[in-house]
Amino acid sequence: MDKIVILDFGSQYTQLIARRIREYQVYCEIWPYHLKECDLNSSDIKGIILSGSPYSVADPRAPQLEEMILKSNKPLLGICYGLHLLVKTLGGKVVQSQTREYGKALLTILEKRGIFEGFGNEMVCWMSHGDSVKEIPPQFQCIARTETCDYAAIVDDQRRIWGIQFHPEVSHTPLGKEILSNFIFNVCGCSSDWTAESIIKQQIQWLRNTAQKEKVICALSGGVDSVTAAVLTYRAIGDQLSCIFVNNGLMRKGEPEHVLRNMEALLGKGRVIAVDAKDRFLNELQGVVDPEQKRKIIGRVFIEVFEEEARNLGDATCLLQGTTYPDVIESISVCGPSVKIKSHHNVGGLPELMHLRVIEPLRFLFKDEVRQLALELGIPDEIVWRQPFPGPGLAVRIIGEVTENRLEILRDMDYIIYQELKNSPIFKKLWQSFGVLVPVRSVGIMGDERTYKYVGVLRAVMSEDGMTADWAKISYETLDIIARRVVNKVAGIGRMVFDITSKPPATIEWE
């Protein structure tokens, strides 16, 4: 299978480049720039992209271009910092600009070939840089410029090295996808063979080779990732797979029953072991208000419950996980250790504790690719398009202590929010939409009586991958209906507010 490799120098847009390339059904992997053991000479690698970076090439700490990259003789495309790195390494000159250039610019195309094949004379592009190319290396030619950037695109035809100052992967560069398409097809000669059908066929064979005759267990959450991993694995190894679904009492209204019905339809009766651990989780959370402590308790108790149930299965040796590509990418530090925003509840502690070998058939797929795979596997739309749901569930959507009463209030509020937004035109554009319970009481009037009830929050955001998010522009009419229904129907809620904070600076979840 043809492959494009992106060498990541720490850009916030690196994943977006990969997503754009995969939209053309060409397989693409992201590698940290410093992975010296990787074989760039492999015949399936058809081209290499050098990403942007938060660094300046003038910074003594800045990532450098490894010699093996140039020695691979593969077509190269340097984007922003990638361009600067190529220029500096190959004998050109890069200078720090007096002011950072950020925003839209009009690009004048001087040579309509290669990455600009089929283009007109001009196009809009998105700039985001503090350094600029002052002199290009020998054998390079300028092929595009802007009013303030003399070398907006350059090329060395003999070595098939291209460099661009702007970002083709962002939507603010309207023809950016066509530039990437020209690079992967015209320059690198890739074939479009990365399809849902081919992935299923490939992964079923991989699962059979990996699992052999061993028993595999899966921690099933009901989300699209774990369900897709389970269905795919069941197709590959059948009765060797057992799924365990733990009801922690922190799920949405009717969700445990819904998950079990769906899995029975997909895998058949008896394939999922359901564990009711609601009381155990709530007892452990009693009196706990710190969000980090809540997450850690939920993670620990989940592991304890799962381990107990798995022990009853006897000789399972493998753990199936619905790990996706963003999880893999974010687990590798590119430019130093990242700051921990919050602990994530997953089954990360299980393999070591139970001496299990991890199997991750989705580890090279983005969320949208997992959904395409799920559709191809016949998984119902309601699972495929289910919004991301935090591992700790509603516990991190209740500020402060988690109690059964507060959970019931939040479930009822959240269900009304879901019902009304599902009937709204904006629903399919939403990444996540949900309610948050703030245990601060607010005065109100219902009939002739004074009320003193909790505050409910509507949180709804739009995003491509959850890394950044903008608050959803829900119509006043829909907001009005949600607020009136919640206050009138949900016992305990006396006031509704709408969170209009984007990520960053806020996170999507409140805890």
Side-chain angles (χ1 to χ4, degrees):
M1 182 179 294
D2 291 346
K3 180 195 300 183
I4 296 292
V5 167
I6 301 173
L7 295 180
D8 184 14
F9 292 90
S11 170
Q12 62 178 320
Y13 297 130
T14 301
Q15 288 193 37
L16 190 53
I17 302 171
R19 289 169 62 90
R20 293 289 179 256
I21 291 171
R22 291 193 183 188
E23 286 172 7
Y24 286 105
Q25 298 182 329
V26 173
Y27 183 56
C28 178
E29 283 186 12
I30 298 172
W31 296 359
Y33 74 92
H34 49 66
L35 285 188
K36 294 182 174 64
E37 67 273 16
C38 294
D39 182 14
L40 287 172
N41 295 310
S42 175
S43 60
D44 60 341
I45 298 176
K46 302 301 182 184
I48 301 168
I49 294 177
L50 310 181
S51 82
S53 175
Y55 285 101
S56 160
V57 290
D59 192 323
R61 303 167 301 164
Q64 300 301 306
L65 192 65
E66 299 290 341
E67 190 178 358
M68 65 174 181
I69 297 169
L70 295 171
K71 284 186 174 179
S72 71
N73 294 319
K74 306 284 186 180
L76 295 176
L77 172 62
I79 298 175
C80 200
Y81 180 86
L83 162 68
H84 301 156
L85 204 52
L86 286 167
V87 169
K88 181 185 176 185
T89 305
L90 296 172
K93 186 176 181 181
V94 179
V95 296
Q96 287 184 294
S97 305
Q98 294 297 319
T99 57
R100 182 179 181 86
E101 185 179 18
Y102 184 85
K104 289 184 180 179
L106 186 63
L107 187 77
T108 300
I109 300 170
L110 306 176
E111 295 282 346
K112 301 171 192 174
R113 57 186 175 82
I115 63 173
F116 293 121
E117 183 74 35
F119 280 57
N121 296 324
E122 294 179 332
M123 62 170 277
V124 173
C125 66
W126 185 261
M127 294 286 190
S128 177
H129 63 102
D131 292 347
S132 294
V133 176
K134 183 71 172 177
E135 296 175 10
I136 58 177
Q139 301 179 27
F140 275 81
Q141 176 186 358
C142 177
I143 55 172
R145 63 174 179 237
T146 70
E147 186 177 347
T148 57
C149 184
D150 291 334
Y151 301 106
I154 62 174
V155 63
D156 177 342
D157 288 304
Q158 186 175 352
R159 288 183 288 184
R160 297 180 296 170
I161 300 176
W162 301 76
I164 53 178
Q165 181 61 82
F166 55 92
H167 288 273
E169 68 275 18
V170 300
S171 59
H172 303 296
T173 302
L175 295 176
K177 286 179 63 176
E178 284 76 3
I179 289 173
L180 293 173
S181 172
N182 278 337
F183 178 70
I184 59 180
F185 294 121
N186 296 350
V187 177
C188 300
C190 291
S191 300
S192 297
D193 48 14
W194 180 249
T195 63
E197 185 179 0
S198 69
I199 295 167
I200 290 171
K201 186 176 180 180
Q202 180 188 70
Q203 290 307 96
I204 284 178
Q205 188 58 52
W206 177 84
L207 283 161
R208 287 171 179 164
N209 293 338
T210 302
Q212 298 291 326
K213 300 296 182 182
E214 297 178 69
K215 283 190 177 181
V216 180
I217 53 175
C218 171
L220 191 71
S221 70
V224 65
D225 297 338
S226 69
V227 170
T228 302
V231 173
L232 183 63
T233 304
Y234 184 68
R235 287 203 181 180
I237 62 173
D239 291 346
Q240 290 171 238
L241 173 69
S242 296
C243 297
I244 299 174
F245 172 72
V246 178
N247 180 2
N248 57 16
L250 305 171
M251 303 184 78
R252 290 169 288 199
K253 194 179 187 74
E255 195 162 30
E257 299 80 9
H258 195 61
V259 169
L260 292 172
R261 281 198 304 270
N262 279 324
M263 294 314 298
E264 185 174 292
L266 288 166
L267 303 181
K269 289 186 177 182
R271 302 309 316 161
V272 179
I273 300 165
V275 185
D276 187 346
K278 295 192 294 289
D279 293 341
R280 186 165 172 177
F281 278 87
L282 280 175
N283 288 337
E284 292 275 359
L285 289 168
Q286 189 172 355
V288 178
V289 297
D290 180 73
E292 269 295 286
Q293 193 179 354
K294 283 196 280 188
R295 287 175 179 272
K296 289 175 180 177
I297 288 170
I298 293 165
R300 172 179 59 78
V301 176
F302 176 84
I303 288 174
E304 292 171 359
V305 173
F306 188 88
E307 185 190 15
E308 290 165 10
E309 291 300 322
R311 199 179 294 126
N312 296 331
L313 293 173
D315 53 352
T317 55
C318 299
L319 176 71
L320 176 67
Q321 291 191 170
T323 308
T324 58
Y325 201 32
D327 301 325
V328 176
I329 296 166
E330 289 160 21
S331 68
I332 302 172
S333 177
V334 174
C335 296
S338 58
V339 176
K340 184 176 80 170
I341 306 300
K342 58 190 175 185
S343 298
H344 290 275
H345 165 58
N346 51 39
V347 292
L350 285 170
E352 296 82 7
L353 185 70
M354 301 170 62
H355 307 291
L356 296 173
R357 185 160 56 92
V358 175
I359 294 178
E360 299 168 317
L362 310 180
R363 66 180 280 109
F364 291 114
L365 300 179
F366 287 106
K367 178 72 78 173
D368 55 334
E369 292 172 322
V370 173
R371 286 181 168 137
Q372 289 302 315
L373 211 68
L375 291 171
E376 188 75 20
L377 288 166
I379 295 171
D381 282 2
E382 58 194 288
I383 297 176
V384 174
W385 301 109
R386 178 183 186 259
Q387 294 178 357
F389 189 62
L394 299 180
V396 292
R397 292 178 180 174
I398 294 174
I399 308 303
E401 185 182 7
V402 179
T403 66
E404 183 57 46
N405 176 252
R406 289 179 177 179
L407 283 166
E408 285 305 312
I409 292 171
L410 180 54
R411 282 193 190 98
D412 290 341
M413 172 175 60
D414 190 75
Y415 187 65
I416 290 173
I417 289 171
Y418 171 77
Q419 284 181 315
E420 293 303 331
L421 287 179
K422 191 174 182 183
N423 294 328
S424 170
I426 201 172
F427 184 72
K428 289 187 177 180
K429 299 177 182 178
L430 297 176
W431 173 262
Q432 277 177 279
S433 54
F434 53 87
V436 178
L437 179 63
V438 180
V440 173
R441 295 186 184 273
S442 173
V443 174
I445 299 172
M446 297 191 77
D448 294 326
E449 295 184 1
R450 176 182 182 272
T451 60
Y452 196 49
K453 298 182 179 182
Y454 292 137
V455 175
V457 180
L458 165 59
R459 180 68 161 149
V461 298
M462 296 183 293
S463 175
E464 285 197 0
D465 53 18
M467 301 299 291
T468 61
D470 192 17
W471 62 276
K473 310 307 186 286
I474 301 171
S475 71
Y476 290 153
E477 181 183 3
T478 301
L479 291 174
D480 179 49
I481 294 170
I482 290 172
R484 283 191 288 108
R485 281 196 65 194
V486 168
V487 173
N488 289 333
K489 299 290 185 182
V490 180
I493 298 291
R495 187 181 298 266
M496 281 295 293
V497 298
F498 181 31
D499 181 353
I500 59 169
T501 319
S502 295
K503 175 187 178 182
T507 55
I508 295 175
E509 299 291 343
W510 271 47
E511 287 196 340

